[in-house]
Amino acid sequence: MSDPFFHPVSGFELPRFAGIPTFMRLPHVPPGHDRWAEVDVGLVGVPWDSGTTNRPGPRHGPRQLRDASTMIRAEHPVTGLRPFEALSCADLGDVGPNPADIQDSMTRITTFYDGLVSAGIRPLTAGGDHLTSLPVLRALARPGPLGMVHFDSHTDLFHSYFNGQMYTHGTPFRRAVEEGLLDPKRIVQIGIRGTMYDREDRDFAESVGIRIIPIEEFHARGPEDVMAEAREIVGPTPTYVSYDIDFVDPTFAPGTGTPEVGGPNAYQALQVVRGLEGVTVAGADLVEVSPPFDASGGTAFLGVSIMFELLCIMAGTLPA
């Protein structure tokens, strides 16, 4: 059992509307804290949306996600797993971005995550738009390319936007493959749908061996069968999990910048993460929660519920 210092504050001890909100009511352990070296999984906010190409707002995501996460309790309702006892978890705070400079922000993010890697901390990230994943991967993939399970409506594999802009929330995984951060033959993208500009992203995926499971196939086969294939694709070696909240149908998650109809429901949103059991998760993120489009916080609560599911999967894949 982990040190009680790393256990969340119980709603039996302090009302959920009271106290300073941290992710899942965990202790705040910023870099330099005397307990930093003891953290197994660090929850990190990246309040940044400079890669957004249409409706901005994910820069406000981590704050709303933290507030919603006060409703997360200690035990998984199905498995009985108590991740905060299996792992030493902490809120590591936010990476401070430079909202006027994409490259500087990415450097700041990578530098922060380099510190986590050096300390042996596995990150669970709350974005931020989906470009956030690229600088995180630059740190996590230094030992070698990772596999990836990617839940999304969009491939994020485009070459560029707006006459040569190479860094947007529609390009991070194209860059990650080009930079050798991800092994394309160990990438599976699940839930892809919506109208299209063209087939350039799909053609790239096919050319390098990325497996795309469109939403029609997802619904026809069901989550269990799809996730069995996903586990087979990534295999036993280290894998990144990237979860865009717009994977979920906007009926259940309207608070996002690029919604697409026809997606999974809220239960299926949790079910696919449970299907990751046994995957060696090197790190994970939940991105594109945009509070301006759902001030009620329902999207954020679904987002942190997904983060809890991811944390439980990470608790089942302890490093040797």
Side-chain angles (χ1 to χ4, degrees), residues 16-260:
R16 298 186 182 280
F17 53 81
I20 297 172
T22 59
F23 281 122
M24 303 183 194
R25 312 190 96 193
L26 290 164
H28 179 210
V29 180
H33 192 284
D34 58 4
R35 307 297 295 268
W36 173 266
E38 301 171 51
V39 177
D40 296 317
V41 172
L43 286 76
V44 182
V46 183
W48 180 58
D49 59 10
S50 295
T52 301
T53 57
N54 184 25
R55 304 197 304 176
R59 68 181 61 186
H60 303 294
R63 186 166 293 184
Q64 192 186 45
L65 286 161
R66 276 193 177 90
D67 194 29
S69 76
T70 62
M71 286 300 297
I72 298 298
R73 301 178 183 88
E75 183 172 316
H76 193 282
V78 178
T79 66
L81 180 68
R82 300 176 69 86
F84 306 114
E85 296 178 7
L87 298 168
S88 295
C89 304
D91 185 332
L92 307 187
D94 285 346
V95 182
N98 178 347
D101 190 321
I102 287 178
Q103 294 297 337
D104 182 46
S105 290
M106 289 197 292
T107 298
R108 294 178 185 211
I109 295 166
T110 299
T111 299
F112 186 95
Y113 281 80
D114 277 337
L116 271 66
V117 172
S118 296
I121 299 171
R122 287 187 293 164
L124 177 53
T125 302
D129 70 45
H130 221 149
L131 185 55
T132 298
S133 301
L134 177 60
V136 173
L137 285 167
R138 286 173 173 168
L140 297 188
R142 292 197 191 282
L146 301 169
M148 183 175 69
V149 181
H150 175 201
F151 302 104
D152 206 325
S153 291
H154 315 100
T155 66
D156 298 346
L157 291 172
F158 281 99
H159 179 263
S160 65
Y161 278 55
F162 306 118
N163 195 29
Q165 175 50 254
M166 308 294 279
Y167 299 100
T168 78
H169 64 171
T171 68
F173 302 125
R174 180 72 161 260
R175 300 289 88 80
V177 170
E178 292 169 347
E179 294 178 24
L181 310 177
L182 294 174
D183 176 356
K185 292 182 171 54
R186 294 184 55 238
I187 296 174
V188 55
Q189 300 185 313
I190 301 169
I192 307 305
R193 63 188 187 274
T195 56
M196 301 164 63
Y197 294 112
D198 54 34
R199 298 196 62 85
E200 187 241 331
D201 58 329
R202 308 290 184 103
D203 292 342
F204 174 78
E206 185 176 357
S207 73
V208 297
I210 294 172
R211 171 69 165 115
I212 294 177
I213 299 177
I215 197 64
E216 293 79 11
E217 183 179 348
F218 176 87
H219 285 311
R221 293 174 57 189
E224 290 186 9
D225 190 43
V226 165
M227 293 312 299
E229 182 184 356
R231 293 192 300 272
E232 184 177 350
I233 288 170
V234 298
T237 49
T239 295
Y240 193 72
V241 180
S242 191
Y243 200 124
D244 188 324
I245 197 67
D246 74 31
F247 168 74
V248 188
D249 191 271
T251 303
F252 306 95
T256 192
T258 314
E260 302 287 358

